[in-house]
Amino acid sequence: MKVAVLSGGVGGARFLSGVVDVIDPANVSAIVNVGDDLEVLGMSVSPDLDSVLYALAGLADEERGWGRADETWNALATVEALGGEAWFRLGDRDLGLHLVRTQARREGKPLSAVTAQLTAALGVETTLLPATDEPLRTWLDTPNGSFDFQQWFVARSHRDAVDRVRFDGAAAARPAPGVLDALHEADVILIAPSNPYVSIGPILAVERIRAALERRRVPCVAVSPLVGGKAVKGPAASMLQRLEGGTTPAHVAQCYAGLIDALVIDEADADDDAGVRTIVTKTLMRDAAARRSLAEAALDAVALT
Ligand code: GDP
Ligand code: CA
């Protein structure tokens, strides 16, 4: 069985580590958000691709939820002491990866090719695909102004209410090589419990990816990122409340209208009519066993669609 998974960073990475516990990693393709990508200190950083890469390579810091385990912060402390740009947290081990990627990008290698090089070097058998190789950047319009994703999320701690999410460059963005093949060859498409607006939204903003999902011949199952109407972490619930009018499974399903056949939701969420079939299970991925059983529930849901 071949599986394609649409994924953001942390929630997506946790879910994917469950998926590759159930399905041969070589048969799994992750199509990953690049709307958060940024240039910082002259380096090309792709936070969501890196969260997924570190999780699948077994290098992720489980407690912090992002970045690498056994991380140290000497380079960033030096940057700060020198009055450099230190708002975006980059650990020493993490920096090594950014150096390699940045050099390859400067030599003209597309992001998808660099990503393939990094996954191979780390022994990851899962195919990691940026949604697009073209620049696609998420912007948030808020009552306090418009901010690019990292300004809003990191520098301003996502405190500004969001009136609108925009994807700069989306109109011209083509799917990266391998993305449409992964979607066409998949026996099932999964949408990870990632933020629907700022993690999955940028992927779906690539028109040919959205079209591939709309015209799918195989089931597509999403996993809700909310537990009891609240985000496990981050702004998903407050965005849903403001932009969709609530945080029930129906509101989550509405973000994926026409794109999914089933939604996996938590026992803590009311199983009212969500407009699509719902599968109720425990969705908190607190350890490897929980991640695995959530992946199983999502894959089992396929039989019900
Ligand atoms: P980011 O790019 O690092 O922000 O990560 P994602 O968008 O992939 O993941 C963030 C989302 O994951 C948040 O909306 C969380 O609510 C959700 N999330 C994190 N951990 C869990 C979990 O254990 N279970 C579920 N259902 N959602 C989770
Ligand atoms: Ca992200």
Side-chain angles (χ1 to χ4, degrees):
M1 177 152 92
K2 289 199 167 196
V3 181
V5 185
L6 271 52
S7 171
V10 175
R14 286 185 182 148
F15 181 67
L16 272 159
S17 57
V19 173
V20 300
D21 214 10
V22 182
I23 302 281
D24 180 353
N27 287 333
V28 177
S29 297
I31 300 167
V32 182
N33 173 38
V34 294
D36 308 1
D37 288 13
L38 72 159
E39 286 265 318
V40 60
L41 295 167
M43 289 180 301
S44 308
V45 180
S46 296
D48 287 4
L49 278 167
D50 294 345
S51 292
V52 173
L53 180 61
Y54 290 149
L56 296 180
L59 297 172
D61 188 300
E62 297 271 333
E63 247 166 70
R64 202 185 322 116
W66 55 272
R68 288 189 58 161
D70 298 321
E71 190 57 283
T72 53
W73 306 89
N74 299 301
L76 197 71
T78 304
V79 168
E80 195 159 22
L82 297 173
E85 205 185 345
W87 62 276
F88 194 83
R89 309 220 27 221
L90 296 168
D92 298 332
R93 292 180 191 278
D94 192 26
L95 268 169
L97 183 150
H98 303 314
L99 291 172
V100 171
R101 174 163 45 218
T102 302
Q103 184 188 23
R105 298 284 286 120
R106 294 230 171 103
E107 287 166 359
K109 244 190 186 187
L111 181 59
S112 56
V114 183
T115 304
Q117 173 192 333
L118 297 172
T119 44
L122 290 175
V124 170
E125 289 175 86
T126 303
T127 305
L128 250 64
L129 301 164
T132 178
D133 274 337
E134 266 112 23
L136 182 160
R137 296 290 173 267
T138 301
W139 281 79
L140 296 306
D141 295 339
T142 83
N144 305 317
S146 293
F147 305 102
D148 70 34
F149 180 83
Q150 300 295 355
Q151 265 179 295
W152 172 72
F153 192 85
V154 178
R156 299 177 65 87
S157 313
H158 54 79
R159 64 173 176 265
D160 309 282
V162 174
D163 293 318
R164 185 164 167 245
V165 187
R166 288 184 287 119
F167 307 106
D168 230 33
R174 292 163 299 172
V179 168
L180 293 181
D181 288 341
L183 290 171
H184 290 141
E185 288 165 13
D187 299 298
V188 50
I189 301 168
L190 301 176
I191 299 181
S194 293
N195 186 307
Y197 296 103
V198 293
S199 292
I200 304 300
I203 303 174
L204 298 174
V206 179
E207 215 172 286
R208 290 176 64 196
I209 297 182
R210 174 178 281 275
L213 251 69
E214 281 169 348
R215 293 185 206 129
R216 70 194 177 282
R217 296 223 177 91
V218 298
C220 178
V221 178
V223 181
S224 172
L226 302 188
V227 177
K230 295 193 170 69
V232 177
K233 209 180 158 193
S238 57
M239 295 182 84
L240 272 156
Q241 186 66 49
R242 190 170 170 97
L243 297 171
E244 222 73 37
T247 61
T248 69
H251 294 103
V252 176
Q254 190 51 40
C255 296
Y256 301 130
L259 304 178
I260 60 171
D261 304 291
L263 180 68
V264 178
I265 62 170
D266 194 82
E267 292 170 350
D269 289 288
D271 187 17
D272 296 336
D273 183 15
V276 289
R277 181 180 286 275
T278 49
I279 290 88
V280 182
T281 186
K282 286 187 179 17
T283 68
L284 200 59
M285 300 178 283
R286 57 170 56 118
D287 56 23
R291 291 192 279 264
R292 184 192 164 98
S293 74
L294 183 58
E296 280 169 345
L299 290 163
D300 286 349
V302 170
L304 304 171
T305 59

